[in-house]
Amino acid sequence: MQHKWWHGKTAYQIYPKSFCDTNGDGIGDLRGVISKLDYLRELGVELVWLSPVYRSPLADQGYDISDYYSIDARFGTMADMDELIEKARERGISIVMDLVVNHCSDEHEWFRKACEDPEGEYGQFFYIRDWHEGEPFPCNWRSYFGGPCWDLLPGHTDKIYFHAFHKKQPDLNWENPALRREIYKMINWWLDKGLGGFRIDAIINIKKLLPFCDLPADRDDGLCDIRAMLKRAEGLNVFLDEMAEASFRKYDAFSVGEVFNEKTEDLPKIIGDRGCFSSMFDFSEHLLGLDRRGWHRSRLPTAEEYKRAAFAAQARSAGVGFLSNIIENHDEPRGVSHYLPEGERSDAAKKLLGGLNFLLRGLPFLYQGQEIGMENRTDWTLKDFDDISTLDQYKVALRAGCTEEEALAAVSRFSRDNARTPFQWDAGPGAGFTAGAPWLGLNENYREINLAEQRGREGSVYEFYRSLITLRKSADYGETLVYGECVPYLPEQKNLMAYFRRGEKTLLVAGNFQAEAQDMLLPSPARTLVLNNLDELSAERDTVHLKPWQLVVFEL
Ligand code: GLC
């Protein structure tokens, strides 16, 4: 495997709307991100992915872009963006933007022109079909946010357009070379500004199964999960390769794909040396327990399932490329609330989960607030939610026969808004996030869980994450943690998640993923205790007595 400039880094995702608000409108902004660059440097991250800040009606929080070449006024100006890129660079931080090109906003000029003249140049940028009241749609696929993928084309009664997500997110027609050229031009325009690269949104959806056709329905709405068509559509890689060649490769840019359900044999084409992306997220843990029928049927994963999924992903990517490892992002509940059982979200357990994930082979990505152990909100009421998929899932649960309480409980557990509550900087008003009224309610635990309380306090979750990042960069263990292979140790021992990292040195990472103590045999004598999430360690000869939620790293 070729070595790349980004391999040794630690990445960090910012959700700008909820990060830091400098003008008191309750919405985080780019000046807020700039004001926290020194903080990010202190934490040690060197690659920062910004969720979208382009001009957008924010129907899906910026994942509905109405102008790829402008910054939305709520987030700031292009001058702010340029300043952010430059000031980040001075601090050794590369900025990565979100690339949302499966769809744009229905308020994008392309779509407006397509509505004006569906047969014209811009009509070909979308999937527009003739349709008459009472006729079936060209296919019965269910959009990710609920309902059919088809809606009437604004201004028409006999034409419809395709949207895989919300109806305000019309899909772009990648079969059209003119559209693809526009996209590559735009990517390069941004890379010319000195961006480090892109996180590529929802990209597996750009290749459709054409011509559109019905697939077997999987709910009583007569529709079929759109993911069923993705399994059958062929040729995604042709588009992705063309895009990489026309943009990322020329700049040696970093790119990380939002890729789900890939086939193992396709991994080299995605993240290998000549892959279309630098990396892709490992979502295998996130998919555990999710039920296609909806959040009301989904359940939280167990420690054993988590371990098996993580090891399987490690095995698939070994010798191929780097996965990007996460415990959460802006589309998921908080990792500590999802993977740790109720009542067990102690600092020790949070560090165990974070450490086990961070030390795997691949590129560690932290999501804002993870470094202080932010949790799901537990006091949601329906009117607190903003996210469109949460509101859809609530309806799905009611339709399936849940009571309002059950539906609320289900969406509270899985809502994307759990990750989107504002960053908890301090215990003051607005949690230090805003001087105004936050756009999404704060998690009330901000008085206890906040950066000011943890910064500089020995033993805090924050200081633990800093030590993880320091370790990844250290002269002693950096090479091993970045490039060393990852080999499971005692994978059959229940609720023990342990693995070797074997490079220049050999490290053993071992976590007791449960609320009871357990013993672990050492494979060979330990030379050094490199990391411990508790103050003490009890061991004799070849046995380590791991306390509940204890995580240790030994050099062997
Ligand atoms: C991706 C984004 C998500 C968004 C969707 C549609 O999954 O991460 O936030 O809603 O794409 O763009």
Side-chain angles (χ1 to χ4, degrees):
M1 245 182 68
Q2 286 164 16
H3 287 199
K4 294 287 187 184
W5 62 269
W6 50 269
H7 276 162
K9 300 193 184 301
T10 297
Y12 186 89
Q13 179 188 357
I14 290 183
Y15 195 69
K17 201 172 180 189
S18 303
F19 191 59
C20 176
D21 169 26
T22 55
N23 62 2
D25 64 357
I27 293 179
D29 43 51
L30 288 176
R31 298 233 61 84
V33 180
I34 294 170
S35 75
K36 298 297 183 188
L37 282 171
D38 285 328
Y39 165 67
L40 297 171
R41 183 166 58 175
E42 169 190 304
L43 176 58
V45 298
E46 295 170 298
L47 208 67
V48 168
W49 154 30
L50 289 188
S51 277
V53 289
Y54 309 88
R55 182 178 296 159
S56 161
L58 304 192
D60 185 22
Q61 297 306 353
Y63 285 91
D64 48 321
I65 297 172
S66 55
D67 183 356
Y68 290 100
Y69 294 92
S70 302
I71 299 296
D72 194 274
R74 283 164 282 202
F75 295 123
T77 63
M78 191 59 80
D80 294 334
M81 189 67 212
D82 292 335
E83 186 179 326
L84 172 61
I85 295 172
E86 180 53 24
K87 291 206 164 139
R89 197 190 51 79
E90 288 165 15
R91 290 164 176 78
I93 298 174
S94 299
I95 298 290
V96 168
M97 283 180 86
D98 224 301
L99 185 68
V100 189
V101 289
N102 171 66
H103 45 266
C104 59
S105 161
D106 64 343
E107 298 182 29
H108 194 288
E109 193 190 8
W110 295 338
F111 193 67
R112 273 203 255 125
K113 289 187 173 160
C115 295
E116 279 161 25
D117 179 11
E119 318 300 335
E121 184 186 348
Y122 291 100
Q124 308 305 312
F125 273 34
F126 300 91
Y127 294 100
I128 296 175
R129 297 287 185 271
D130 293 332
W131 178 80
H132 296 100
E133 180 93 56
E135 281 179 6
F137 291 134
C139 66
N140 68 340
W141 311 341
R142 185 184 306 107
S143 71
Y144 287 98
F145 298 147
C149 286
W150 297 93
D151 253 279
L152 272 183
L153 190 68
H156 299 261
T157 51
D158 58 351
K159 292 207 183 301
I160 50 176
Y161 70 98
F162 181 91
H163 58 88
F165 292 87
H166 194 256
K167 65 175 182 202
K168 283 187 70 62
Q169 296 168 298
D171 278 48
L172 292 165
N173 175 8
W174 274 71
E175 306 294 331
N176 178 355
L179 175 271
R180 303 206 298 276
R181 277 196 298 275
E182 281 292 335
I183 300 286
Y184 308 152
K185 187 177 91 189
M186 179 272 290
I187 298 176
N188 292 343
W189 185 86
W190 279 103
L191 290 174
D192 281 334
K193 278 183 179 285
L195 270 193
F198 287 97
R199 173 265 185 184
I200 297 110
D201 181 76
I203 196 68
I204 50 175
N205 297 284
I206 63 175
K207 187 75 200 180
K208 322 283 190 241
L209 180 63
L210 294 174
F212 292 112
C213 61
D214 280 358
L215 295 172
D218 55 18
R219 285 188 202 160
D220 53 18
D221 57 5
L223 303 178
C224 163
D225 193 313
I226 186 170
R227 281 161 276 223
M229 86 78 184
L230 296 180
K231 285 199 193 119
R232 304 189 193 194
E234 278 175 19
L236 172 64
N237 258 85
V238 179
F239 291 157
L240 297 185
D241 259 329
E242 184 186 83
M243 170 161 70
E245 201 54 30
S247 59
F248 312 137
R249 283 186 193 135
K250 291 192 199 162
Y251 294 79
D252 195 17
F254 171 76
S255 55
V256 53
E258 188 194 23
V259 178
F260 285 95
N261 300 324
E262 75 291 345
K263 298 191 197 89
T264 300
E265 64 267 27
D266 285 342
L267 261 192
K269 285 191 243 161
I270 309 175
I271 58 169
D273 280 343
R274 289 294 296 167
C276 53
F277 298 137
S278 312
S279 180
M280 57 177 266
F281 289 106
D282 173 27
F283 289 117
S284 45
E285 299 88 349
H286 151 85
L287 294 172
L288 296 167
L290 277 189
D291 189 306
R292 289 275 181 252
R293 286 168 293 182
W295 291 348
H296 63 290
R297 305 295 295 253
S298 301
R299 55 170 188 82
L300 303 185
T302 65
E304 276 296 294
E305 288 172 325
Y306 182 88
K307 168 174 77 179
R308 282 196 292 273
F311 286 165
Q314 291 287 305
R316 279 198 302 275
S317 59
V320 176
F322 268 39
L323 291 174
S324 286
N325 298 318
I326 55 166
I327 63 163
E328 63 197 29
N329 66 21
H330 68 292
D331 289 331
E332 299 183 23
R334 288 287 178 177
V336 295
S337 301
H338 194 69
Y339 298 112
L340 299 173
E342 183 107 46
E344 294 296 340
R345 289 155 200 157
S346 61
D347 284 0
K350 289 177 178 181
K351 293 178 201 170
L352 165 120
L353 176 67
L356 284 174
N357 185 269
F358 187 97
L359 297 167
L360 291 168
R361 185 176 164 285
L363 183 67
F365 256 85
L366 309 186
Y367 176 70
Q368 67 180 43
Q370 178 184 336
E371 73 273 30
I372 55 169
M374 279 180 65
E375 301 174 0
N376 283 356
R377 255 182 84 165
T378 50
D379 57 352
W380 290 110
T381 63
L382 191 59
K383 64 176 174 13
D384 296 324
F385 290 113
D386 167 273
D387 170 37
I388 44 185
S389 78
T390 305
L391 300 175
D392 170 58
Q393 288 287 341
Y394 184 78
K395 281 191 241 146
V396 170
L398 289 185
R399 232 179 283 130
C402 292
T403 63
E404 288 180 4
E405 293 74 54
E406 287 163 349
L408 181 64
V411 298
S412 298
R413 212 165 332 130
F414 293 101
S415 175
R416 311 197 292 177
D417 280 340
N418 283 306
R420 299 176 182 186
T421 61
F423 192 101
Q424 296 165 199
W425 295 101
D426 59 43
F433 161 71
T434 181
W439 73 277
L440 183 69
L442 292 161
N443 189 324
E444 283 305 314
N445 69 12
Y446 76 89
R447 293 184 191 85
E448 297 84 51
I449 300 179
N450 62 68
L451 177 70
E453 191 280 322
Q454 296 187 22
R455 206 170 190 174
R457 175 167 66 75
E458 208 185 312
S460 69
V461 174
Y462 173 68
E463 293 302 336
F464 180 77
Y465 270 101
R466 280 211 328 141
S467 59
L468 286 172
I469 298 173
T470 305
L471 203 59
R472 186 171 169 85
K473 289 195 239 188
S474 69
D476 282 344
Y477 302 113
E479 189 279 342
T480 304
L481 286 174
V482 176
Y483 293 108
E485 58 174 350
C486 176
V487 182
Y489 176 59
L490 301 178
E492 300 306 325
Q493 187 169 328
K494 186 160 178 227
N495 292 348
L496 174 77
M497 178 161 165
Y499 51 89
F500 299 105
R501 296 300 315 274
R502 288 205 184 106
E504 278 169 3
K505 308 235 162 94
T506 296
L507 295 173
L508 175 64
V509 177
N512 180 20
F513 213 134
Q514 61 177 10
E516 293 81 43
Q518 72 172 313
D519 287 352
M520 178 188 73
L521 278 180
L522 279 173
S524 57
R527 282 171 208 264
T528 320
L529 175 64
V530 179
L531 192 80
N532 184 357
N533 69 343
L534 301 181
D535 292 335
E536 28 173 356
L537 176 69
S538 147
E540 59 201 324
R541 286 193 306 273
D542 55 356
T543 303
V544 182
H545 308 297
L546 291 168
K547 297 227 157 40
W549 307 110
Q550 185 160 28
L551 171 76
V552 285
V553 179
F554 295 110
E555 182 186 345
L556 299 181

